[in-house]
Amino acid sequence: MGEDGGAPRDARLLAMLDDDRQGWVLATAVREDGEIVDFEMVYINDAGCRFAGRSREELIGRRYRELWPETVHDGTLPLYREVVETRQPVTRTVYYDRPSVTGHFEMRVSPWGDGLGVRFVDLRQLTVAPQSTAGTRLYDVLDAAFDGFTLLRAVTDGSGAIVDFVCDYVNQLGAKLVGRTAEEVIGHPLSEVSPGSWDDGLFDRYRSVAETGEPWLEQRPYPQVGQVWEVKVARARADAGTPAVAVSFREVTDQVGQQRHLAAVAAEAERAAARATDAAARATALQTATTALVAASTTAEVYAAIGSVLRPSAGGQGLALLLLHEQQLQLRFHDGYEPDVVAKLRELPLDHPYPATAVARTGQPLYLTSLAQFQAAQPDPAVAVPAGERQAWAFLPLAVGGEVLGTLVVGYRRPREFDYDEQATLMALAGLGAQALQRALLFEARTTLASALQRALLPATLPRVPGLRHAARYLPWTHGVDVGGDWYDIIDLGEGAVGVVIGDVAGHSAAAAATMGQVRNALRAYAGERHNPASVVHHVNRLVLDLHPDTIATCCYLEVHLAEGTVTAVSAGHPPPMLRTADGVHRLQLRPGPPLGVTPDAVYLDTTLLIPEAATLLLYTDGLVEDRRHPIDQGLRELRAALRSAPTREPGGTLDHILGSDVGPRPRTDDVAVLCLTSDAVPTAPPTARRRFRGEAISASAARRFAADVLTAWKQAPIIDDALLLLDEVITNAIQHTVGDVTVELRLGEHLRVTVHDTSIRPPERRAAPDGADRDNGRGLHIIEQLAAAWGSELVPTGGKLVWFDLPRV
């Protein structure tokens, strides 16, 4: 059917399909972004319309999701999509009994252009229709069958309730079972033919099957004749949708007798097999418990293994685990015990008469085989632990290397004797539990120390900064107890500036954590001295090389200026932050730098960007988005999607949404630190950006880079070259002839004004350029006068002077 996916154009094909007694449908694929999402019907023949119960006008041009919404969930649409994509035809048989379609169909689905053709045959019409040859053969078979068979059509009252059934068909054997001929049964009500159906409950069964569609099967004994009959009832469908049931009867007296005999033989064989395999069962129980307990690394996992594996292995119906703590037995885990028993077991002094205390003191097991023994051990009912529903107990010491950790109690609901083999198995199970528990307790002790160290290295609180909301999360590695090297920090730099940093020291060890603490403190110190971001990271890199030459670390440091709506950031081999604005989510495009600790010649260049009002900034470590199994590109796509779909601007809610989404590798194999910031500050008008630079030669290039980034963000590219040339002249002069910091301010009003503030009160002087090799020296003011729209110099009351120049804005 090689059409191009539109309506079929071959008249011969249409004529053939129109004359076919079976249903035919042609449909084209509906695609979105190249993916098939639905199918649109472009042709259906008359037989198909009859089967569907709708006219051609109701079907052509409409989609499957609209016509048959159930196809979305019953596997039909995915199957059709597979046929189109693989070009492989399939045949399936389905039964529908729904408002939109009813029938038992065999469907042949074949690819047709960018769509498919479906031929469907209603198997009911071929097998049970009385007017068909096949239907006649079926009734002949039913008449000759050994089973009794009848079709009963429901009779309803005015409210629609089923009050009787009329026989539409019965085979010869079925008529004999009620002592009549087929002619005396067919067309007559059940109340006349078999009034006893109301007394023996069969009528209620017929009605329930007709109403619910749930089939019913039962073997019914008839002691008066010494027979057993199997009765099966299934819902059928009469004309005009009237409820009906199909009932078959079969005598199974001999089969039931054989089954009972075989069941008795099998029971005896099972008892013999159980006795013969007790030893193997105990070995299997020990192996299963060993496997589960060896895999447990925390007390919670040990308790779970004890409850799910050890208790069934021990054969008990109740289990309690009590540990020694300061001359007491304390209940740490229970399974199958009643609340009143649990309340008494919470804390037991070692002199309490409950048998578990004696086991904890002596390390010797104790077995009580009856309720009387249990009550005799606790003669005072005022202090006794209740027995609950148990009548036998095994009290087992949890001992490792001669040290008793507590008592394991296994309770049984029936009195029992504990033979030697069972006692040996119970003691082995208790020993396995004790070893696993001791490992878990030691593991958790180490984990507690590691967690305390990690918390001590991370900031206890982050500073409150007006106009800035923030939240942070730290997720330790899901395996192991070593501390990691991930960290984050927020530093209030004053003057509306905030330092934000996130970093990751390679490794999971105390050494990595110690390095992380030193790097974090050093970065805070350099940032507090108001080094520009590139200088901060440069100094931290030298520190890492001096103190820890074998250490590699990454970090991203940002200096955020809330009132300006700007951020200056530098990356040292770290994943770039994400920024969410009203326009979407994107990564900050930062100038890359190598990780810390790689080389003393590393060059770090900062980047200045605009941060729009109400923007959200997200910083993270690489454990969130990648590991050796999860490519970083995939992780960044997942993170971008999660940040975009976060339903809130609240930083804490945003982080919870991201960490709850399908982002990055699972399970995680690295620590994760995440920091989210939302700016509520409104940027100043006109746009202004100011930075302070150290009085050192490197500051000139940093100032030019700052100005270039800001002017690019302000869309002032045509004047960038002139602005940078003039700024270079002014700031170089300030750095060469003054001591102290230099401040550069850019303000975009009716024109661009660039101001440089230094600590000197000496005004700039125009000098004639000397002849010789250095012909450019002394020409700074000449260049400014030629290029600037205006310029000037003035003293500042608080000290120092300002040199400014204006350029026409774009």
Side-chain angles (χ1 to χ4, degrees), residues 60-74:
I60 297 300
R62 299 177 67 184
R63 297 185 180 184
Y64 271 59
R65 289 177 182 266
E66 178 185 3
L67 293 170
W68 298 287
E70 61 270 17
T71 61
V72 179
H73 306 290
D74 67 2

Side-chain angles (χ1 to χ4, degrees), residues 504-509 511-512 515 518-519 541-553 595-599:
D504 182 6
V505 176
H508 295 87
S509 64
T515 301
Q518 290 177 314
V519 170
N541 178 55
R542 298 305 299 263
L543 177 71
V544 171
L545 288 167
D546 290 342
L547 298 181
H548 305 280
D550 297 328
T551 297
I552 301 294
L596 304 174
V598 173
T599 172

Side-chain angles (χ1 to χ4, degrees), residues 553-765:
T554 67
C555 80
C556 185
Y557 174 62
L558 296 82
E559 188 176 293
V560 182
H561 292 255
L562 298 172
E564 297 177 1
T566 64
V567 59
T568 298
V570 60
S571 173
H574 200 82
M578 293 278 188
L579 180 68
R580 183 176 75 172
T581 66
D583 297 329
V585 176
H586 64 273
R587 288 182 286 172
L588 296 187
Q589 298 300 317
L590 306 183
R591 296 178 173 93
L596 304 174
V598 173
T599 172
D601 300 323
V603 175
Y604 298 99
L605 302 178
D606 47 31
T607 306
T608 301
L609 303 162
L610 298 185
I611 302 295
E613 181 182 355
T616 296
L617 195 61
L618 182 73
L619 292 83
Y620 52 94
T621 54
D622 59 355
L624 178 65
V625 294
E626 71 164 335
D627 66 7
R628 58 183 177 82
R629 301 168 292 114
H630 200 90
I632 188 170
D633 289 343
Q634 177 182 347
L636 292 175
R637 286 195 301 270
E638 295 165 349
L639 178 59
R640 186 184 299 109
L643 181 57
R644 183 186 301 112
S645 63
T648 176
R649 287 184 59 249
E650 187 62 33
T654 299
L655 290 184
D656 292 339
H657 173 79
I658 291 172
L659 296 176
S661 301
D662 190 13
V663 175
R666 299 295 175 91
R668 302 198 186 282
T669 57
D670 197 0
D671 304 316
V672 173
V674 196
L675 183 60
C676 184
L677 306 98
T678 298
S679 172
D680 294 325
V682 178
T684 56
T688 303
R690 176 185 301 170
R691 291 293 183 274
R692 184 167 62 182
F693 299 93
R694 308 282 288 184
E696 51 193 12
I698 195 175
S699 295
S701 60
R704 290 194 300 272
R705 192 164 54 250
F706 159 70
D709 289 344
V710 172
L711 293 177
T712 300
W714 285 349
K715 297 181 171 48
Q716 299 297 309
I719 64 173
I720 287 179
D721 290 341
D722 289 348
L724 296 185
L725 177 60
L726 299 183
L727 174 62
D728 186 65
E729 293 293 341
V730 177
I731 196 169
T732 301
N733 183 71
I735 292 173
Q736 289 178 344
H737 299 95
T738 62
V739 176
D741 294 345
V742 177
T743 302
V744 175
E745 179 182 278
L746 308 177
R747 183 182 299 269
L748 187 64
E750 295 181 358
H751 49 257
L752 172 67
R753 170 159 291 190
V754 180
T755 304
V756 177
H757 176 208
D758 60 41
T759 58
S760 172
I761 61 174
R762 179 180 176 180
E765 298 178 359

Side-chain angles (χ1 to χ4, degrees), residues 259-270:
Q259 290 172 358
R260 290 173 179 170
H261 174 71
L262 292 175
V265 173
E268 179 58 31
E270 287 179 359

Side-chain angles (χ1 to χ4, degrees), residues 51-307:
F51 292 155
R54 303 189 192 185
S55 67
R56 185 176 283 105
E57 291 73 16
E58 294 179 271
L59 299 173
I60 297 300
R62 299 177 67 184
R63 297 185 180 184
Y64 271 59
R65 289 177 182 266
E66 178 185 3
L67 293 170
W68 298 287
E70 61 270 17
T71 61
V72 179
H73 306 290
D74 67 2
T76 301
L77 278 182
L79 176 68
Y80 289 175
R81 185 184 303 115
E82 182 179 357
V83 169
V84 176
E85 292 174 346
T86 65
R87 316 304 295 174
Q88 295 295 320
V90 299
T91 301
R92 67 187 301 223
T93 301
V94 295
Y95 179 82
Y96 292 128
D97 187 8
R98 298 168 178 162
S100 59
V101 59
T102 300
H104 186 195
F105 298 104
E106 179 183 87
M107 307 176 72
R108 174 71 173 179
V109 188
S110 303
W112 173 67
D114 189 26
L116 48 84
V118 184
R119 177 179 182 267
F120 49 99
V121 180
D122 190 341
L123 299 178
R124 296 187 314 165
Q125 301 299 325
L126 295 181
T127 57
V128 300
Q131 67 272 22
S132 70
T133 302
T136 301
R137 290 199 301 271
L138 174 62
Y139 283 113
D140 290 342
V141 172
L142 292 175
D143 281 334
F146 180 77
D147 292 351
F149 182 83
T150 184
L151 289 173
L152 301 177
R153 172 170 41 86
V155 177
T156 59
D157 60 14
S159 65
I162 298 176
V163 296
D164 206 343
F165 288 90
V166 172
C167 179
D168 279 347
Y169 169 80
V170 67
N171 68 353
Q172 299 299 326
L173 182 58
K176 289 181 181 179
L177 291 176
V178 293
R180 300 171 185 263
T181 66
E183 290 75 16
E184 293 173 325
V185 174
I186 295 176
H188 295 270
L190 182 67
S191 56
E192 174 188 328
V193 176
S194 182
S197 299
W198 273 258
D199 296 331
D200 61 16
L202 281 177
F203 171 76
D204 292 333
R205 293 296 187 185
Y206 299 158
R207 179 171 57 188
S208 175
V209 172
E211 291 175 343
T212 66
E214 293 293 329
W216 175 73
L217 174 67
E218 184 179 273
Q219 291 181 349
R220 297 177 67 88
Y222 292 90
Q224 61 273 25
V225 294
Q227 293 179 340
V228 179
W229 285 79
E230 180 184 84
V231 183
K232 182 177 182 181
V233 185
R235 186 165 72 175
R237 182 68 67 182
D239 294 339
T242 304
V245 293
V247 187
S248 66
F249 304 85
R250 171 181 294 179
E251 185 188 359
V252 292
T253 307
D254 292 341
Q255 294 94 316
V256 170
Q258 293 174 358
Q259 290 172 358
R260 290 173 179 170
H261 174 71
L262 292 175
V265 173
E268 179 58 31
E270 287 179 359
R271 287 191 291 270
R275 290 191 297 270
T277 57
D278 271 351
R282 292 190 180 99
T284 300
L286 288 172
Q287 182 178 4
T288 302
T290 301
T291 301
L293 291 170
V294 166
S297 58
T298 67
T299 54
E301 292 173 350
V302 172
Y303 297 151
I306 287 175

